[in-house]
Amino acid sequence: MRLPFSSTLFAFARPTAIRYTVVMARLAHFAIAAAPGFAILSWMQADPFAQAGHHLALSFVAGLLCVLVFNTFDMYGRDMFSNLLLIRRTFFAWSATFGLLMTLHQLSRFISPVPPQALVLWYLLSFGLFVLSRLVMLSFFQRRIRAGHFIQRSVIVGMTENAMRLAEQIHHRADVISGLIGYIDDRRSHRLHEAPPVALPRLGDIGALEQLIRDGRVDQVLVALPAQAHGRNEALAQRLRRLPVQVLLIPDMTTFRFAHRRMVPMGGVPMFVVAEPPLQGWSPLYKRCEDIVLSGLALLALSPLMLLIALAVKLESRGPVLFRQKRYGYNQRLIEVYKFRSMHHHLRDEHADRQTGRDDPRVTRVGRFIRKTSLDELPQLFNVLGGSMSMVGPRPHATATKAANVLFEDAVEEYVARHRVKPGITGLAQVNGYRGETDTIEKIQKRVEYDLEYIENWSLWLDLSILLRTVPAVLSAEAAY
């Protein structure tokens, strides 16, 4: 009986199925990169056959470059089967491919000049087809998962507490590569302490497992026997090494509660990463370039408004235009932060011993307006340009700031962890509604939660998203006094 295509994909030997899928994806990417270019270039010629050979050559080179660049961007790794965010990676990979293609074209001049509108249409159409093909692939894989079909069929040996944690993790993060079909345990059912957290059938004992492997119904064995059971583990390893199956030893799942799911070799021994500095590699340079460019442009664009605010502050009350305050910056170092003065100079609070509340008599009329609209923060653009702050990051707090009469660092255990990056003019907490007065412990807890989420997930795209959301967030906020 001949199986339909959707079934034959998983009827191969499992490593072959993965290679087959990757080959099909590469062929699809080659076609998506090449075919639209050939069609558009030919269509925009008065005589479609006049430059057909040259157009075909350019399209072929585009397809070849696409596969090579996509491979460099790790488009054909494990994420290919489950990660929707590959669409963002696809954008960068296709942009790099197209830029390289245009560079080669300019250097070689192997075809006649191409109309700019044809290039734009080619780029956009191919990118749209890449996204569509990605969504179709994910939809196909999700249907296979719901039907209980996986490229690798896995079983757990030993339904221990550690194994139950793993079963739950795999169930919630299912992808088409690996799926649990059951568990193996030599103990009788009444000796098992509790049922698995997900609907997982018991497939029998070790003898039954051997038969399942020989019948080609199991591709991967996950061993969850206790580490102290040295004899049983060694005997099981010797037994399974004789069979054509992949055997993996389950780590202590409790480690994942406080460690990243990434391992690094140390002296040849793999170790879990518990913590590491954020913004590694080129990321600090990218963020610094972002800060210099955006703060410089903002200062140029907003300088007339800043001059008007300075004049209004000066005319209303005596004292300097700017208010300088010591706040915690990167690595908990004290930095001097600039703001437009919003309080009467003789009532200023340099250490923020008392937070500003509604109808605070210390705040001037101009100060009330610029605090409500966050215009008092504009001088912090000079902090960004000078390097002590960033455009986006956790907001810097003064040394004596409190929530419900409790110092921030005492109110939240992980508060100091937010100082692993430079503070920012705006941040993820602010655009999610947490700006202004922190009169309760819950408010500072939520701020820290958002700050740590930002640090763990930083990207230029996230910064741009926060900056675009800042103005609406400021205009809709009611908690700033």
Side-chain angles (χ1 to χ4, degrees):
M1 176 179 174
R2 184 175 179 81
L3 296 172
F5 171 75
S6 61
S7 297
T8 56
L9 174 61
F10 301 102
F12 293 101
R14 270 29 196 192
T16 306
I18 296 176
R19 288 196 295 268
Y20 173 81
T21 308
V22 169
V23 168
M24 292 298 294
R26 285 172 172 160
L27 290 175
H29 289 161
F30 180 94
I32 291 172
F38 179 74
I40 291 170
L41 293 175
S42 300
W43 171 60
M44 300 194 95
Q45 289 285 337
D47 183 359
F49 299 101
Q51 297 286 335
H54 293 119
H55 295 162
L56 185 62
L58 183 63
S59 301
F60 179 84
V61 171
L64 188 61
L65 284 175
C66 174
V67 173
L68 294 174
V69 174
F70 275 36
N71 191 72
T72 303
F73 275 75
D74 196 26
M75 295 288 292
Y76 305 115
R78 189 183 179 95
D79 285 350
M80 165 186 167
F81 297 91
S82 59
N83 190 356
L84 184 62
L85 291 179
L86 276 183
I87 291 177
R88 184 174 66 181
R89 199 182 303 172
T90 300
F91 168 76
F92 288 114
W94 175 234
S95 299
T97 299
F98 210 76
L100 185 57
L101 179 68
M102 293 301 98
T103 301
L104 291 176
H105 170 52
Q106 291 297 322
L107 292 176
S108 60
R109 298 287 185 180
F110 61 85
I111 66 169
S112 57
V114 179
Q117 58 269 32
L119 297 176
V120 173
L121 187 58
W122 181 2
Y123 173 85
L124 294 177
L125 180 58
S126 289
F127 179 68
L129 290 174
F130 283 129
V131 173
L132 180 61
S133 66
R134 179 72 191 149
L135 295 176
V136 169
M137 177 182 287
L138 286 177
S139 176
F140 170 73
F141 287 153
Q142 288 166 1
R143 286 200 305 271
R144 300 300 299 175
I145 291 171
R146 286 193 293 268
H149 300 294
F150 305 91
I151 294 178
Q152 287 180 313
R153 295 158 299 184
S154 306
V155 296
I156 293 178
V157 176
M159 189 43 65
T160 61
E161 183 181 352
N162 203 35
M164 287 189 282
R165 287 198 186 99
L166 177 67
E168 191 170 14
Q169 180 77 8
I170 293 176
H171 176 73
H172 289 304
R173 296 176 61 89
D175 63 59
V176 79
I177 288 185
S178 295
L180 287 176
I181 63 172
Y183 71 95
I184 298 292
D185 204 301
D186 284 333
R187 296 172 293 177
R188 296 185 183 276
S189 299
H190 69 274
R191 292 182 57 202
L192 299 176
H193 298 295
E194 57 181 298
V198 295
L200 203 61
R202 184 170 182 264
L203 303 177
D205 56 13
I206 299 299
L209 172 61
E210 286 188 349
Q211 192 58 48
L212 288 170
I213 296 171
R214 295 187 191 282
D215 292 342
R217 295 166 59 188
V218 171
D219 311 292
Q220 193 174 70
V221 177
L222 309 175
V223 179
L225 297 179
Q228 60 269 26
H230 304 292
R232 292 175 63 196
N233 279 317
E234 186 175 354
L236 180 62
Q238 292 294 338
R239 202 165 172 178
L240 293 176
R241 282 189 182 123
R242 304 168 187 167
L243 300 170
V245 68
Q246 184 180 38
V247 182
L248 302 177
L249 183 65
I250 301 176
D252 183 1
M253 295 298 292
T254 58
T255 305
F256 291 139
R257 294 181 181 179
F258 58 88
H260 300 292
R261 289 170 173 79
R262 191 170 71 84
M263 302 181 76
V264 296
M266 180 65 65
V269 178
M271 297 188 181
F272 283 105
V273 176
V274 174
E276 57 187 346
L279 306 184
Q280 298 189 70
W282 291 93
S283 298
L285 177 61
Y286 296 151
K287 189 162 178 61
R288 183 61 186 141
C289 291
E290 169 198 322
D291 289 338
I292 292 173
V293 171
L294 294 182
S295 62
L297 292 175
L299 283 170
L300 287 175
L302 298 173
S303 55
L305 175 61
M306 294 175 69
L307 287 173
L308 288 175
I309 295 173
L311 182 62
V313 170
K314 192 67 177 176
L315 290 176
E316 185 185 15
S317 62
R318 299 177 61 181
V321 169
L322 293 180
F323 173 63
R324 295 174 172 85
Q325 187 177 55
K326 295 291 184 181
R327 298 191 180 188
Y328 288 119
Y330 172 70
N331 206 15
Q332 217 172 355
R333 298 169 185 158
L334 286 177
I335 60 173
E336 191 173 62
V337 173
Y338 305 127
K339 296 179 64 175
F340 282 121
R341 180 173 57 83
S342 58
M343 294 184 177
H344 294 284
H345 183 56
H346 65 287
L347 297 176
R348 66 190 184 280
D349 186 0
E350 294 183 355
H351 303 290
D353 293 300
R354 170 187 162 195
Q355 288 201 46
T356 309
R358 188 185 297 274
D359 300 324
D360 195 312
R362 299 174 298 170
V363 180
T364 65
R365 288 175 300 172
V366 171
R368 191 165 290 111
F369 173 74
I370 62 176
R371 289 178 71 93
K372 178 71 175 177
T373 56
S374 290
L375 293 175
D376 62 326
E377 312 283 356
L378 289 181
Q380 289 168 27
L381 291 169
F382 292 108
N383 285 108
V384 176
L385 200 61
S388 60
M389 287 181 62
S390 287
M391 292 295 292
V392 182
R395 285 292 298 152
H397 295 145
T399 55
T401 315
K402 299 176 183 177
N405 292 320
V406 179
L407 288 171
F408 282 175
E409 53 263 41
D410 296 330
V412 184
E413 184 178 357
E414 295 185 308
Y415 176 79
V416 177
R418 64 197 298 277
H419 297 138
R420 290 182 294 159
V421 297
K422 292 179 184 178
I425 294 180
T426 184
L428 190 60
Q430 283 64 46
V431 299
N432 280 283
Y434 290 93
R435 63 182 293 268
E437 187 180 15
T438 51
D439 52 349
T440 65
I441 299 294
E442 290 74 21
K443 286 183 179 180
I444 186 59
Q445 287 175 338
K446 290 299 294 184
R447 285 196 183 193
V448 172
E449 182 181 320
Y450 278 115
D451 290 339
L452 297 183
E453 180 183 342
Y454 168 79
I455 292 171
E456 295 295 333
N457 298 286
W458 177 84
S459 69
L460 291 176
W461 288 101
L462 180 58
D463 276 4
L464 180 60
S465 171
I466 292 172
L467 288 170
L468 292 176
R469 293 166 58 190
T470 293
V471 174
V474 168
L475 294 178
S476 61
E478 298 180 356
Y481 310 126

